[in-house]
Amino acid sequence: MSNLDFQNSPKTQNNRETTYKIGMLRKIRLTIGCLMLAAATWLFVDTSGIAAAHLNWIAKIQFLPALMAGSIITVIVLLVATLLLGRVYCSVICPLGLLQDLIARVGRAAKKNRYTYSKAKNILRWGVLGVTVIAFVAGIGSVVALVAPYSSFGRIAQTLLAPLYEWGNNIAAQIAESNGSYAVSETEIWVRSIPTLVIAALTLVGIGIVAWMNGRTYCNTICPVGTVLGFLSKYSLMAPVIDKSKCISCRKCERNCKAACIDIAGTKEIDGSRCVTCMNCIDTCPKGAISYTMRNRTAKVEAEGGETPSGRRMFLTMLGLTAASVASAKKDKLVDGGLTVIEDKEPMKRETPLVPPGAESLRNFRRHCTGCQLCVAKCPNGVLRPSTDLGSLMQPVMSYENGYCRQECTRCSEVCPAGAIKPYEEGAKSSIQIGHAVWVKERCVVLTDEVSCGTCARHCPVGAISMVKYDAGDGKEVRIPAVNEERCIGCGACENLCPSRPLSAIYVEGHENHKIL
Amino acid sequence: MNEGKNISRRDFLKRIGLASVALTGCGKATETTNTANNTTTVVGETKAEDMTYRINPTTGDKVSLLGFGCMRWPTGSDGEIDQEMVNKLVDYAIEHGVNYFDTSPAYCKGKSEAATGIALKRHDRSKYYIATKLSNFGEQVWSTEESLAMYENSFKELQVDYIDYMLLHGVGMGGMENLRKRYLDNGILDHLLKERKKGRIRNLGFSYHGDIEVFDYLLSQHDKYKWDFVQIQLNYVDWKHAKATNRRNTDAEYLYNELQKRGIPAVIMEPLLGGRLSKVHDHIAQSLKERDPERSIASWAFRYAGTFEGVLTVLSGMTYMEHLKDNLVSYAPLKPLTADDLEFLEKVAEEMVTYKTIPCNDCKYCMPCPYGIDIPANLLHYNKIVNAGMMPDENAGTEEYQKNRRIFLVGYDRSVPKLRQASHCIGCGICKPHCPQRIDIPRELARIDIFVEHLKRNKNKKA
């Protein structure tokens, strides 16, 4: 009963050729893992809204976001699961871990038996965790965002995979259009933030190379979640355990351990703090000496050491590079003699950044957000994009040059797993004030073009703008917009639709604390 | 209260109108057709000798009933006129008996005259008639010098030394004041009269849209100006229902009858109402097909315009070869409509005005909008949905509403880029005076904007 390894049949033990069979446990892990990776990826790239409606629980069971959101139950369930079964979170729930497994698999296909045991880098592990905690307490969200594993995955999916998916979607939309179908609609592909794109690309390349060469090194040296869960999994009830009496020291398990945590030459123990319970070793062992079973509590494996892993240097390089880039995304315009060329709007400079309704305050938002980009991916109005400010790098901010925060949309609050954007009741949005509109006299077309306008007033969903009389000089009376700051909610309809280009003549200034009107 | 008044007036006009059509239209028309009642060619090549021609009473010109409107020449992917295709269309038209080509310095962003000239230059000058206009719309070309330069330039662009049919362009838009400034006070009309005497202009006329005072004034001066022809908008909707578009518009019935009284031949523009009589509501399409399953929907409108004996030629802006071929079937030869057909089309027109389409003909005179709106594209998308019977109706049940809502919104984004949609209209009204149909464009755009906003917000509307 204690032995859960179904692979352990006499036939396999006698057959030395059989080195890599898929056992039941691994089969389960692979199935769940594949589904989870596919679902998490789809959650980020989907443009139809179906994924967000049905799969946002994937984001909500992620450890760090749940911790940020204060979802005590989720956190306790994950901790208890780790204490019982080991780091199953890392092997079947964390999408970044799954992505690494996928890359590592390709690496293993290229070169068999490529891993070797290495000692735990505990100083680095606890060091990164310490820095993360300090950054969180200090409210430097960008540091937390940088090391959060699920957020790293989110950035890769949103900035690198989503454009490919959208491109495919748009081809499908064109085919649909030519067939008179309305099933697929076109979506706009745009780069929201160059620094975040660069970070995502470097993360993918960095983690990709490390995963290819060494498997789960990132999870066992940098990842703060890995460190916390590793601390617990060391004492987990169940774990893969080597039956030393059966072991022939062939080191097949060690060479196939992507966590580099099986020390055959030394203690013949598996380092429980780094093992992600992938079950590969169980299947690899020609003698059936490894089984997933109750841990032998007397044998504590503790490895010490403080070498710099290859992943670390790469990681620091990433940090340095991100500071240097600047965002500027020009879209293609259709130019036809019969149509006026429309100048692109430039993002406004705002003294106080704008964050979505449900954030409650800038401070709350900055503290909770892990920069996973899920809200950015799901924003249907082109409003959310990652910040380029160093202190809040990768955490989303709002801007209205491509669209505005529409009243019927509550998408970002629905998907946010970290409690940075809290859900609110549909309909409540029109009473949440996130900022207020400011009129810029010098740019208003009523005065510059001498035409009558009123676009901002017409589109204000809360009636905060009215057109009032104004003496334009020479006794000419015109009507200009007047903002009732008390009633304005900061949705940006006025700013987005304002005919003044490239800078709008009316724009929204953010508020530190959101108010319920 | 208001409605009741309209209906009685309409009924009155209907009685008078139908009687006059039956008399003028059908009586003489029978002699021009040699086709047996139920055998009509509906596809395939027509013969040049079968083309129905009308005789211009002043010059004796034998003009083909189908006139080629050069406002909608085909363009390539670069947006420039596809000259090769233009040549092909012109060649085919001439080969099949078409001999009237109507252009203007204002058409195709100012490139129509040149393209038409290039295509026609390849043919014997005596084989075709060229009509062009003095399109001095903008205030900057109202001066004598500028207007004359525009007039002379037409000869250059068209590569000709005489013009068969010369028109004052779009008189009525902007009322009497506009007419005075464009043609009377600057001496341009006097100059054109002299040019007619010299023979550089063979026929002088005007095209009319808008304020009826101008039309009446110019006709009252017929003894002085001796109009050789007048170009009017005539089709089975405008015959009696021009006021459905704008209360101040005038029914074609009045315009045509005024010309008939004076024996002035009418050149017909907008026989198809800019495509609105071919892209009709599904119900109407079905009833037209039931009446004659082999003819195209557009053919009804062309035969209607051609049935009037006082019509010299009917202009059609044919962008595609299939349009040309279909129209040739209608006119080579013309099988005039019967009194019964006319009554049927009047019923169709009555039904048509109950559908709340916006009377945009896609002429693009309103463009470019200085704030980037693609005005015709917005209006036409709305019409397309109305005509397809796919207007999202909240009372239609949730599923039906959801389906139509999606079709409207997805289709809208496909037809009009976001930045050129109605929501960006600032309501400045610069476009308004340019619309020959006198559509209140800012109002219609605001209406579409509110409708779209309503659709966007009512995503989960329960019926």
Side-chain angles (χ1 to χ4, degrees):
Chain A
M1 176 58 221
S2 68
N3 192 334
L4 287 171
D5 187 13
F6 299 98
Q7 189 59 46
N8 197 2
S9 68
K11 215 175 166 187
T12 1
Q13 283 183 35
N14 297 336
N15 186 359
R16 285 194 174 193
E17 305 280 287
T18 316
T19 53
Y20 217 80
K21 271 205 169 180
I22 301 180
M24 184 58 78
L25 285 171
R26 212 170 126 242
K27 220 179 258 175
I28 294 168
R29 194 262 302 171
L30 279 171
T31 311
I32 302 176
C34 288
L35 287 175
M36 196 63 100
L37 182 61
T41 309
W42 190 43
L43 173 64
F44 273 93
V45 299
D46 172 53
T47 50
S48 68
I50 299 168
H54 296 104
L55 294 174
N56 62 0
W57 57 269
I58 290 176
K60 301 206 165 150
I61 59 167
Q62 300 299 327
F63 187 82
L64 204 56
L67 192 68
M68 293 291 194
S71 310
I72 312 267
I73 295 170
T74 309
V75 173
I76 289 175
V77 168
L78 291 176
L79 292 177
V80 170
T82 309
L83 274 172
L84 289 174
L85 305 171
R87 285 169 66 178
V88 285
Y89 171 84
C90 303
S91 61
V92 296
I93 297 177
C94 176
L96 190 69
L98 290 164
L99 180 66
Q100 289 177 76
D101 282 356
L102 187 72
I103 295 165
R105 204 175 178 80
V106 183
R108 280 205 303 278
K111 186 184 165 195
K112 292 229 153 48
N113 300 326
R114 70 179 309 154
Y115 310 130
T116 47
Y117 171 76
S118 64
K119 286 180 176 175
K121 318 293 188 286
N122 282 339
I123 293 175
L124 180 61
R125 292 172 83 180
W126 291 98
V128 174
L129 179 62
V131 169
T132 310
V133 172
I134 292 166
F136 171 68
V137 173
I140 309 170
S142 52
V143 173
V144 184
L146 195 61
V147 292
Y150 153 77
S151 299
S152 290
F153 173 81
R155 284 191 293 273
I156 291 166
Q158 202 285 312
T159 61
L160 304 173
L161 290 179
L164 294 177
Y165 183 89
E166 286 161 0
W167 184 63
N169 172 81
N170 287 356
I171 291 173
Q174 275 167 24
I175 294 167
E177 186 174 356
S178 59
N179 288 313
S181 157
Y182 293 89
V184 190
S185 58
E186 203 156 317
T187 174
E188 200 180 331
I189 305 172
W190 58 295
V191 178
R192 285 143 176 99
S193 151
I194 298 268
T196 302
L197 175 72
V198 171
I199 290 174
L202 290 174
T203 311
L204 180 63
V205 171
I207 291 182
I209 291 172
V210 174
W212 178 288
M213 308 290 291
N214 297 314
R216 292 283 201 124
T217 306
Y218 172 82
C219 308
N220 287 327
T221 48
I222 306 292
C223 180
V225 179
T227 306
V228 171
L229 297 182
F231 176 74
L232 297 173
S233 73
K234 208 155 59 171
Y235 310 105
S236 70
L237 186 67
M238 303 286 289
V241 175
I242 302 171
D243 181 346
K244 286 175 192 167
S245 65
K246 286 185 186 166
C247 176
I248 55 165
S249 298
C250 70
R251 295 178 74 183
K252 271 214 166 101
C253 56
E254 182 187 328
R255 294 196 175 278
N256 284 292
C257 175
K258 60 195 175 198
C261 70
I262 309 177
D263 183 11
I264 294 295
T267 58
K268 287 203 179 185
E269 298 274 2
I270 297 172
D271 178 358
S273 81
R274 286 183 292 158
C275 171
V276 292
T277 56
C278 73
M279 318 293 181
N280 286 0
C281 53
I282 297 172
D283 288 2
T284 318
C285 180
K287 290 289 165 194
I290 307 174
S291 52
Y292 185 60
T293 178
M294 302 270 273
R295 185 188 294 280
N296 181 357
R297 294 199 169 264
T298 52
K300 269 193 191 175
V301 181
E302 191 86 15
E304 306 283 333
E307 283 173 56
T308 312
S310 58
R312 186 189 180 185
R313 189 172 306 145
M314 211 152 309
F315 197 76
L316 292 173
T317 323
M318 282 176 226
L319 265 178
L321 272 170
T322 54
S325 37
V326 186
S328 104
K330 274 262 178 209
K331 279 170 286 155
D332 281 329
K333 277 177 304 232
L334 196 73
V335 181
D336 164 15
L339 294 164
T340 306
V341 174
I342 302 176
E343 212 178 331
D344 278 345
K345 283 216 177 195
E346 282 173 16
M348 281 285 170
K349 287 193 177 62
R350 298 172 218 276
E351 274 177 40
T352 310
L354 272 167
V355 289
E360 293 179 350
S361 69
L362 201 52
R363 196 177 120 87
N364 175 72
F365 183 78
R366 292 281 181 251
R367 279 189 69 133
H368 286 88
C369 175
T370 64
C372 75
Q373 313 302 317
L374 188 54
C375 59
V376 172
K378 295 298 119 189
C379 178
N381 300 311
V383 170
L384 286 168
R385 75 285 312 274
S387 162
T388 49
D389 287 347
L390 212 53
S392 55
L393 197 71
M394 296 175 288
Q395 293 186 332
V397 286
M398 302 166 85
S399 196
Y400 297 134
E401 67 276 9
N402 300 327
Y404 60 95
C405 194
R406 294 189 50 88
Q407 294 306 293
E408 74 278 3
C409 176
T410 51
R411 241 347 122 106
C412 56
S413 73
E414 284 157 20
V415 296
C416 178
I421 312 169
K422 292 177 188 160
Y424 48 86
E425 262 186 55
E426 215 184 316
K429 194 171 184 178
S430 59
S431 59
I432 302 173
Q433 185 185 51
I434 62 168
H436 71 274
V438 180
W439 179 59
V440 186
K441 185 181 160 186
E442 295 72 36
R443 295 200 286 261
C444 186
V445 293
V446 173
L447 303 170
T448 58
D449 296 8
E450 293 178 9
V451 288
S452 66
C453 188
T455 306
C456 49
R458 258 201 317 284
H459 290 91
C460 179
V462 293
I465 307 175
S466 40
M467 300 303 289
V468 298
K469 287 178 194 160
Y470 183 83
D471 183 7
D474 308 330
K476 236 172 88 181
E477 197 179 81
V478 294
R479 293 209 170 244
I480 52 129
V483 181
N484 180 346
E485 291 90 352
E486 291 303 311
R487 203 184 281 178
C488 173
I489 55 171
C491 72
C494 54
E495 178 179 330
N496 177 246
L497 296 170
C498 175
S500 167
R501 289 170 176 275
L503 290 172
S504 296
I506 190 160
Y507 77 101
V508 179
E509 194 44 75
H511 288 177
E512 291 268 351
N513 286 296
H514 294 180
K515 259 184 285 187
I516 305 286
L517 298 178
Chain B
M1 180 195 91
N2 211 357
E3 235 168 71
K5 209 167 134 193
N6 280 340
I7 286 166
S8 59
R9 186 192 56 223
R10 189 181 297 162
D11 282 348
F12 173 66
L13 290 171
K14 193 165 92 183
R15 263 171 241 133
I16 298 197
L18 265 183
S20 69
V21 170
L23 285 175
T24 56
C26 298
K28 294 184 202 165
T30 38
E31 58 199 76
T32 53
T33 175
N34 46 13
T35 321
N37 258 353
N38 291 319
T39 52
T40 39
T41 329
V42 285
V43 279
E45 208 159 324
T46 59
K47 292 187 200 111
E49 60 264 32
D50 285 338
M51 172 62 73
T52 299
Y53 289 93
R54 296 275 162 85
I55 308 297
N56 177 340
T58 53
T59 50
D61 287 351
K62 194 180 155 205
V63 179
S64 61
L65 189 50
L66 177 60
F68 210 123
C70 309
M71 190 170 88
R72 300 174 203 260
W73 282 132
T75 50
S77 51
D78 54 354
E80 293 299 315
I81 293 180
D82 180 353
Q83 187 67 47
E84 209 175 305
M85 198 61 219
V86 172
N87 294 353
K88 248 177 139 174
L89 285 165
V90 167
D91 294 351
Y92 192 92
I94 291 180
E95 268 168 42
H96 292 81
V98 175
N99 66 3
Y100 190 96
F101 294 84
D102 173 83
T103 179
S104 149
Y107 292 168
C108 304
K109 296 162 214 157
K111 306 247 172 87
S112 172
E113 279 188 336
T116 309
I118 291 168
L120 287 175
K121 187 76 184 165
R122 298 151 53 254
H123 294 269
D124 182 353
R125 182 69 182 89
S126 65
K127 287 271 167 62
Y128 57 84
Y129 303 115
I130 283 186
T132 192
K133 316 186 178 74
L134 216 163
S135 315
N136 56 350
F137 290 119
E139 205 174 329
Q140 66 279 6
V141 283
W142 285 352
S143 72
T144 313
E145 299 72 41
E146 290 292 335
S147 288
L148 280 181
M150 183 179 263
Y151 168 68
E152 289 300 334
N153 192 52
S154 289
F155 289 86
K156 257 186 239 153
E157 297 283 353
L158 287 161
Q159 310 182 51
V160 292
D161 41 25
Y162 66 91
I163 285 166
D164 302 281
Y165 291 81
M166 187 72 197
L167 297 94
L168 312 185
H169 195 178
V171 299
M173 289 160 75
M176 282 303 289
E177 195 192 338
N178 200 273
L179 174 78
R180 267 184 227 112
K181 285 185 172 151
R182 283 174 65 192
Y183 299 112
L184 305 182
D185 297 350
N186 57 10
I188 288 298
L189 182 53
D190 292 335
H191 180 79
L192 294 180
L193 291 166
K194 273 183 226 153
E195 289 282 289
R196 181 169 62 181
K197 238 178 219 162
K198 275 199 241 163
R200 283 185 91 208
I201 295 172
R202 295 184 55 246
N203 294 278
L204 185 62
F206 63 87
S207 72
Y208 161 79
H209 279 294
D211 195 336
I212 194 65
E213 194 191 345
V214 181
F215 181 82
D216 289 339
Y217 170 78
L218 288 177
L219 286 196
S220 72
Q221 303 295 307
H222 181 49
D223 290 341
K224 179 175 164 196
Y225 297 130
K226 298 270 180 256
W227 301 113
D228 298 298
F229 68 107
V230 170
Q231 188 164 314
I232 57 169
Q233 177 167 324
L234 185 151
N235 51 66
Y236 60 82
V237 170
D238 277 317
W239 185 252
K240 283 171 184 299
H241 305 283
K243 289 191 167 26
T245 300
N246 184 317
R247 281 202 349 266
R248 293 173 305 136
N249 283 0
T250 310
D251 286 335
E253 185 181 26
Y254 173 81
L255 305 177
Y256 177 77
N257 287 338
E258 287 299 301
L259 296 180
Q260 283 296 89
K261 273 188 215 163
R262 295 167 178 85
I264 304 171
V267 170
I268 303 306
M269 59 181 156
E270 302 291 1
L272 250 196
L273 262 178
R276 285 199 300 127
L277 301 186
S278 57
K279 293 176 205 135
V280 292
H281 192 283
D282 282 354
H283 288 172
I284 291 170
Q286 283 157 16
S287 64
L288 291 173
K289 282 289 177 185
E290 273 169 17
R291 198 168 174 90
D292 190 342
E294 290 179 290
R295 290 218 188 242
S296 70
I297 291 163
S299 72
W300 285 98
F302 285 105
R303 287 172 65 210
Y304 180 88
T307 296
F308 295 87
E309 273 297 303
V311 166
L312 186 64
T313 184
V314 179
L315 301 175
S316 174
M318 296 169 281
T319 312
Y320 304 105
M321 191 58 91
E322 61 269 25
H323 293 163
L324 174 56
K325 286 182 178 171
D326 187 51
N327 288 346
L328 286 168
V329 169
S330 297
Y331 286 141
L334 167 78
K335 185 191 167 198
L337 298 179
T338 63
D340 201 34
D341 286 334
L342 293 171
E343 205 170 338
F344 165 72
L345 285 182
E346 168 56 20
K347 288 214 179 79
V348 168
E350 280 170 21
E351 191 185 348
M352 204 169 276
V353 294
T354 65
Y355 294 115
K356 291 294 165 222
T357 50
I358 301 158
C360 171
N361 295 348
D362 197 19
C363 72
K364 299 187 169 69
Y365 284 12
C366 54
M367 298 291 285
C369 160
Y371 296 97
I373 318 296
D374 189 343
I375 298 166
N378 276 279
L379 305 184
L380 294 180
H381 172 70
Y382 185 85
N383 285 353
K384 187 177 137 191
I385 299 284
V386 171
N387 284 333
M390 292 200 277
M391 278 305 268
D393 176 8
E394 281 162 26
N395 302 318
T398 315
E399 217 166 280
E400 179 79 6
Y401 173 76
Q402 288 299 346
K403 197 188 101 211
N404 285 340
R405 175 185 175 272
R406 184 171 174 88
I407 288 172
F408 192 102
L409 292 177
V410 171
Y412 192 38
D413 284 350
R414 282 178 185 170
S415 307
V416 195
K418 278 202 170 69
L419 292 178
R420 303 198 184 279
Q421 291 180 359
S423 59
H424 286 84
C425 169
I426 71 165
C428 65
I430 290 172
C431 53
K432 231 169 117 175
H434 297 283
C435 178
Q437 307 302 320
R438 297 209 268 186
I439 301 169
D440 188 343
I441 296 168
R443 217 192 72 204
E444 295 295 351
L445 287 177
R447 198 163 66 84
I448 293 174
D449 179 29
I450 290 167
F451 181 69
V452 168
E453 183 65 26
H454 185 77
L455 286 184
K456 283 184 178 169
R457 286 201 194 182
N458 288 286
K459 193 178 175 182
N460 302 311
K461 189 90 184 177
K462 306 261 178 339

